[in-house]
Amino acid sequence: MDTPVADTGEFMTLAQQFRPELIAHCYRMLGSPEEAEDLVQETYLRAWRGYGQFEGRSSLRLWLYRIATNVCLRALEQRGRRPLPSGLSAPVGDFERYPAAAVPGTRWLEPIPDHMFSGDPAVIVDTRGGVRLALVAAMQLLPARQRAILILREVLEFSAVETAAALGTTVAAVNSALQRARAALAAAGAVLEQIDEPPEPQRRALLDRYVQALESADFAALHTVLHDDAMLEMPPSPDWFAGRERIVRFLESLGCAPGHFRMRYASANGQAALGQYRRGEDGRYYAYSLQVFGISEAGISHIVAFFDAGIFPSFGLDPILDRAS
């Protein structure tokens, strides 16, 4: 239980410990790490200004979450949801029209570097489970208030009373909205529980095989590391592919030769990730896509490749690799 603070300076000292988890919270709501960081800044500014009204009747953490949630809801009034391609259309069955034209005005879900929400080691595991790409993407399907209620109740495990107080509504309204949100997530095939992944050595071995297959353009080997029902999404292209056979045939159709790509390890959304580099005419390798992976015992089940070279530094990745790197 948080203790009431004595002055503004002490308040800021105590409040900063919640910053990583508040960034994760705002990211779940908005789907953008940059917007999440901006809204956490606004949260702290509002909390600092309103500190005189905070009398310690609730925990400091709960009070900050109340402010952050309402800041996010106000922001969402002016912004659309951020989906992944699978949230907009069915998978494509042919490659002739790839790459498809971007959907005008679409604001895609963005990956978040682990360091942005990795604070207290005691909460890192729980936080990572709640920022997985597939889950955050499914949350984007919900109306803003339902999304907030689902996050507060199911991810953060606030009580119905605490959630109602945070949103200025009733317990009955919270319970009703939570039921509808759960039904919507179930219909989308999303689960709130932490996904069971193989142990780290097995995950790393699987990714090592994926890297070797992609760098050497060995599509037979690539076939062996993908799950039968694997998905490949590539924002900002709205096209996505479902099924191991179709994914491998699509990648093979791109005509990549051995040495065309290089990969570097990273992490995003509490998941394994790889920076993909493409060889340029000068022989150096240039940032191409950041790939985030869902992995099961049966193989790689989900790949989201974000084609935005500008995000590489945020994930500790160099924008260019020399020939000998």
Side-chain angles (χ1 to χ4, degrees):
M1 182 73 176
D2 299 324
T3 56
V5 295
D7 55 44
T8 302
E10 186 177 354
F11 159 70
M12 292 306 297
T13 299
L14 292 175
Q16 284 299 319
Q17 67 182 301
F18 302 112
R19 184 179 184 84
E21 60 178 289
L22 287 171
I23 287 177
H25 177 57
C26 293
Y27 171 73
R28 295 182 191 105
M29 290 290 294
L30 276 295
S32 163
E34 183 177 356
E35 291 180 3
E37 202 160 31
D38 289 344
L39 293 179
V40 170
Q41 285 292 101
E42 183 177 344
T43 295
Y44 277 105
L45 180 60
R46 289 176 179 269
W48 176 75
R49 288 174 175 169
Y51 170 62
Q53 285 73 50
F54 177 68
E55 299 174 352
R57 287 193 293 264
S58 67
S59 73
L60 178 59
R61 179 173 180 261
L62 178 59
W63 186 59
L64 289 171
Y65 268 103
R66 177 175 184 172
I67 297 171
T69 301
N70 284 284
V71 165
C72 288
L73 289 174
R74 281 191 290 272
L76 286 168
E77 291 175 359
Q78 309 298 324
R79 308 173 195 182
R81 67 187 181 93
R82 286 182 174 271
L84 287 177
S86 59
L88 294 181
S89 64
V92 297
D94 63 77
F95 318 135
E96 293 180 0
R97 65 187 184 92
Y98 181 83
V103 180
T106 302
R107 301 167 70 248
W108 297 105
L109 178 64
E110 300 171 353
I112 184 170
D114 283 6
H115 67 80
M116 288 185 64
F117 59 83
S118 299
D120 182 352
V123 301
I124 287 177
V125 173
D126 290 339
T127 302
R128 286 180 174 172
V131 296
R132 295 181 64 87
L133 272 176
L135 178 59
V136 178
M139 288 178 177
Q140 297 294 305
L141 302 176
L142 302 175
R145 286 183 69 84
Q146 278 190 30
R147 194 184 312 169
I149 288 170
L150 182 82
I151 293 168
L152 292 173
R153 291 285 287 117
E154 298 286 277
V155 179
L156 297 169
E157 299 183 345
F158 286 180
S159 70
V161 172
E162 290 170 332
T163 302
L167 296 175
T169 187
T170 65
V171 170
V174 165
N175 290 336
S176 176
L178 179 60
Q179 186 175 8
R180 294 195 300 274
R182 285 171 172 165
L185 279 192
V191 294
L192 285 169
E193 293 79 11
Q194 174 69 42
I195 304 298
D196 289 330
E197 291 191 338
E200 175 59 29
Q202 187 176 339
R203 289 200 305 270
R204 182 58 183 250
L206 195 63
L207 281 178
D208 286 345
R209 289 166 55 202
Y210 175 85
V211 168
Q212 183 175 5
L214 205 60
E215 290 185 342
S216 62
D218 185 344
F219 297 102
L222 185 62
H223 188 281
T224 68
V225 302
L226 297 179
H227 189 281
D228 285 346
D229 299 324
M231 298 167 55
L232 170 63
E233 307 190 61
M234 301 165 288
S237 169
D239 283 348
W240 64 284
F241 300 98
R244 174 172 58 192
E245 301 293 339
R246 183 162 283 118
I247 292 171
V248 173
R249 284 193 287 112
F250 163 69
L251 294 175
E252 194 169 10
S253 75
L254 299 179
C256 298
H260 190 79
F261 292 120
R262 281 190 180 166
M263 314 295 287
R264 291 293 183 268
Y265 287 91
S267 60
N269 294 74
Q271 299 170 247
L274 290 169
Q276 181 185 24
Y277 295 80
R278 184 169 62 176
R279 187 174 60 201
E281 293 182 358
D282 60 358
R284 295 194 296 174
Y285 288 81
Y286 293 83
Y288 185 57
S289 78
L290 179 82
Q291 300 185 3
V292 184
F293 296 86
I295 299 175
S296 69
E297 291 282 353
I300 294 173
S301 57
H302 196 182
I303 306 171
V304 184
F306 295 92
F307 286 86
D308 182 0
I311 66 176
F312 270 51
S314 297
F315 293 85
L317 296 168
D318 294 326
I320 302 174
L321 301 180
D322 291 330
R323 302 182 190 187
S325 296

